């Protein structure tokens, strides 16, 4: 881990400038890393050393406590350059938020202090074997000195780069010996804990270098002080789920913008004009100009929805005032704003990334152009949760006054 001095973690403007600097560094090698599936260990170390991974640590612990909207903008900027790198810290920010909402004072000091020193968190949350994505089979059982964790996790984004794994478990204590209520708990485990096996087996068509493989837990010993009850974060109007979803939307918005910029560069420098256009350069083709205008509107709409959703999550999390609203109302509004942003960013990422080939012509499909990684990344990341349910939440709120789920999809 690389130490990061607290006084280097500054304002939102500082964070945006650092994100832009890193994006400029990471962008040129993104397609090659994606093509060869070269994991970005050096780039993630650079990201951690920059201080950006600590920007949500509370001020009383030495952090900047930047609002969700600022974190989303950082993630969006990184995603315009390399969507893989942008997704890797997603769960880092989510579980820092869990500690802020549900961790004990001692846990916040311990783990968020480690984040200030450069520690990287990653998730071990999703499972393949359960009947639905919401059902957790990995168990937390009482054991001498604390607990033991057993189970297998899949799609553990960032696990290959992590110092600490946040493992979502279900308490299995039928005798009630722990005195804890039934429910879900997050076990915070050093990645090198005995019995933890991190597998590099992620083989999707996109987001190839996110380190999203399988993690196995075989009788892993866990101390009482390493366990956080999830209920306090997800069963109250905290904006927890909306924040997590906001960052997913930011990744998609970044893919859309990165795709658009790549398409424009290719048309300006490599495309030939269609003979019927009667122009010397493809960039002067009036039909291409029209199409780029349409795609530009898609991207701006997605970015605008993301910004509006970020502002709503800021209000739901208490970073900006929400006059006249209860916590439940502010949280519900944030979830609906994020749902709308998810729809628009999903649409923009997939449409613009596919349109790269439409506007670039036959040459754009060549392997050497490396334009395909935008589409593959968009298609893969937007599968995270179905936007058709976002329409449902929005429609039910409008017609029936039904609030969206508190927890969202994380």
């Amino acid at each position: 881990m690389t130490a990061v001095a607290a006084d280097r973690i500054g304002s939102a403007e500082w964070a945006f400038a650092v994100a832009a600097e890193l994006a400029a560094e990471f962008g040129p090698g993104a397609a090659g890393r994606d093509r060869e599936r070269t994991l970005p260990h050096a780039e993630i170390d650079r990201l951690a050393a920059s201080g950006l991974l600590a920007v949500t640590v509370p001020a009383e612990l030495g952090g900047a406590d930047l609002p969700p909207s600022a974190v989303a903008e950082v993630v969006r900027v990184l995603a315009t350059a390399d969507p893989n790198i942008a997704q890797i810290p997603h769960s880092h920010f989510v579980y820092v938020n869990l500690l802020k909402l549900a961790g004990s004072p001692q846990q916040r000091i311990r783990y968020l202090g480690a984040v200030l020193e450069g520690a990287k968190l990653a998730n071990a949350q999703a499972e393949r074997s359960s009947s639905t994505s919401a059902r957790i089979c990995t168990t937390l059982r009482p054991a001498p000195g604390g607990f033991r964790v057993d189970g297998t996790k899949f799609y553990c984004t960032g696990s290959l780069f992590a110092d600490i794994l946040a493992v979502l478990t279900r308490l299995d204590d039928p005798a009630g010996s722990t005195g804890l209520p039934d429910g879900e708990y997050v076990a915070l485990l050093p990645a090198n804990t005995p019995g933890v096996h991190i597998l590099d087996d992620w083989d999707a068509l996109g987001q190839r270098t996110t380190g999203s493989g399988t993690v196995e837990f075989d009788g892993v010993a866990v101390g009482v002080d390493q366990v956080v009850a999830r209920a306090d974060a997800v069963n109250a109007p905290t904006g927890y789920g909306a924040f997590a979803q906001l960052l997913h939307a930011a990744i998609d918005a970044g893919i859309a913008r990165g795709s658009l910029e790549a398409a424009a560069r290719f048309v300006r420098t490599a495309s030939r004009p269609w003979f019927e256009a009667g122009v010397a350069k493809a960039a002067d083709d009036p039909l291409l100009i029209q199409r780029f205008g349409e795609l530009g509107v898609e991207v701006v709409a997605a970015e605008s929805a993301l910004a509006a959703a970020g502002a709503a999550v800021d209000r739901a999390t208490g970073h900006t005032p929400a006059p006249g609203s209860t916590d439940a109302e502010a949280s519900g509004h944030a979830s609906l704003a994020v749902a709308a942003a998810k729809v628009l960013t999903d649409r923009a990422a997939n449409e613009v990334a596919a349109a790269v080939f439409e506007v670039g012509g036959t040459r754009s499909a060549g392997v050497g152009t490396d334009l395909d990684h935008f589409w593959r990344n968009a298609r893969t990341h937007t599968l995270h949760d179905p936007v058709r349910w976002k329409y449902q939440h929005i429609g039910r709120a409008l017609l029936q006054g039904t609030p969206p789920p508190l927890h969202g999809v994380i």
Side-chain angles (χ1 to χ4, degrees):
M1 290 184 286
T2 302
V4 178
D7 61 3
R8 288 183 55 198
I9 302 170
S11 65
E13 290 72 20
W14 168 86
F16 302 157
V18 173
E21 178 184 339
L22 292 178
E25 291 182 23
F26 298 159
R33 288 190 296 271
D34 192 277
R35 181 179 62 252
E36 303 298 330
R37 202 181 171 276
T38 302
L39 296 175
H41 286 285
E43 289 77 10
I44 296 303
D45 286 344
R46 175 82 173 90
L47 177 61
S50 74
L52 285 180
L53 297 185
V55 295
T56 59
V57 173
E60 62 267 24
L61 295 178
D65 198 20
L66 293 188
S69 60
V71 183
E73 179 61 10
V74 165
V75 169
R76 187 197 67 80
V77 170
L78 292 174
T80 64
D82 188 332
N84 292 269
I85 288 175
Q87 189 182 355
I88 289 166
H90 174 277
S91 56
H92 171 94
F93 288 119
V94 169
Y95 283 104
V96 167
N97 196 31
L98 177 80
L99 283 161
K100 291 164 64 176
L101 292 170
S104 69
Q106 293 77 18
Q107 287 172 327
R108 288 195 290 272
I109 291 170
R110 175 183 177 182
Y111 291 108
L112 299 184
V115 168
L116 280 174
E117 293 178 355
K120 302 180 290 293
L121 280 64
N123 85 90
Q125 178 167 306
E127 298 181 3
R128 267 180 161 168
S129 59
S130 55
S131 56
T132 74
S133 60
R135 186 168 184 269
I136 302 301
C137 297
T138 298
T139 55
L140 181 73
R141 294 189 176 99
F147 305 91
R148 62 174 283 168
V149 171
D150 294 276
T152 300
K153 296 291 186 176
F154 172 68
Y155 200 23
C156 301
T157 297
S159 57
L160 291 171
F161 312 95
D163 301 297
I164 300 169
L165 295 174
V167 188
L168 182 58
T169 69
R170 174 182 52 82
L171 181 64
D172 183 12
D173 180 23
S177 62
T178 63
L180 296 176
D182 289 340
E184 295 177 351
Y185 292 80
V186 173
L188 297 165
L189 302 175
N192 60 359
T193 300
V196 175
H197 308 288
I198 303 174
L199 308 181
D200 183 11
D201 61 352
W202 177 242
D203 61 356
L205 66 88
Q207 297 296 92
R208 293 175 173 181
T209 67
T210 55
S212 297
T214 301
V215 182
E216 299 171 343
F217 302 91
D218 183 12
V220 178
V222 183
V224 174
D225 60 348
Q226 294 175 272
V227 173
V228 180
R230 195 167 179 250
D232 288 346
V234 301
N235 294 339
T238 62
Y240 181 72
F243 173 64
Q245 284 284 286
L246 179 73
L247 300 189
H248 280 304
I251 295 167
D252 295 336
I255 293 174
R257 174 61 67 180
S259 301
L260 185 65
E261 292 176 352
R265 284 193 300 270
F266 190 84
V267 168
R268 287 194 299 264
T269 61
S271 291
R272 292 186 299 176
W274 184 245
F275 68 93
E276 290 179 280
V279 296
K281 297 185 297 183
D284 293 331
D285 181 338
L287 297 183
L288 271 184
I289 291 171
Q290 174 72 20
R291 185 64 176 131
F292 268 94
E294 294 167 352
L295 296 173
V297 169
E298 289 277 350
V299 174
V300 169
E303 292 171 342
S304 298
L306 178 69
V313 180
D314 287 354
R315 291 189 291 272
T317 55
H319 282 85
T320 57
S325 296
T326 65
D327 289 346
E329 289 168 341
S331 179
H333 177 71
S335 291
L336 293 172
V338 172
K342 279 283 292 176
V343 169
L344 290 172
T345 57
D346 180 298
R347 180 187 302 165
N350 283 300
E351 180 176 348
V352 180
V356 167
F357 305 103
E358 172 197 339
V359 298
T362 306
R363 290 184 179 185
S364 64
V367 173
T369 66
D370 287 321
L371 293 174
D372 62 305
H373 77 102
F374 289 106
W375 179 84
R376 287 187 292 99
N377 289 332
R379 185 62 281 171
T380 301
H381 181 256
T382 54
L383 295 175
H384 182 272
D385 57 294
V387 294
R388 60 184 177 271
W389 279 98
K390 309 306 178 188
Y391 287 112
Q392 285 287 311
H393 298 155
I394 294 168
R396 290 171 181 172
L398 287 170
L399 289 176
Q400 301 166 359
T402 305
L406 279 175
H407 54 79
V409 177
I410 299 163

